[in-house]
Amino acid sequence: MRQLEMEADENVMPTAGCAYALLQDQLQSLLQAKIPNLLVNGDLNNRLSGNLHISTPDIPNSAIIARIRHQLAISTGAACSSGIVAPSHVLQAMNLAENIIEGALRIGIGKFTTKEEIEKVSSAIVSAVKAILSLK
C-alpha cells in the first residue's frame, strides 16, 4: 500500500513541487513582512520546495521553539541531525555568523499542508518573536 502511495506522489511531483513552492513563498512573505531582520538561509532561487530555512538573528531558536512547540512541528535543523545539540555544520560551512546560526529554524511543508495552516504557522512564529523582543 505504501509503495502505491509513493508511486502516486512521484507521478504528481511536478504539480506537488509547485504547490510546495507556492506555500513556501507565501510563508516566507508573511514572515518577512512582520519580523524585522528575518533572513532566509540558502540560495533563494535554487532550493528544495517545501523546506523553508530561516534565521532570526539575535533571537535564539530555542526561545521561539519553547513558545510554539505545542502548536506546530518545527526544528532547528535537518532530520538527520535530530537529537544533536550543536550548531548546524551546514550553516557553519556557509560561513554564517553565530547569531544567525543560533536563530535558525527549519520549517517543512508537506503535501497535506493548507494555506490556512501556513497563515497559522506565520501567526504563531510572529507572535513568539514579538513576545521575545518585548522582553529585551
Side-chain angles (χ1 to χ4, degrees), residues 15 23 29 65 70 107 113:
T15 305
L23 291 172
S29 294
I65 289 175
H70 300 296
I107 306 164
T113 304

Side-chain angles (χ1 to χ4, degrees), residues 49-69:
S49 293
N51 184 23
L52 181 59
H53 202 288
I54 59 170
S55 286
T56 52
D58 302 316
I59 300 176
N61 53 28
S62 58
I64 295 172
I65 289 175
R67 285 168 172 76
I68 61 176
R69 69 174 177 243

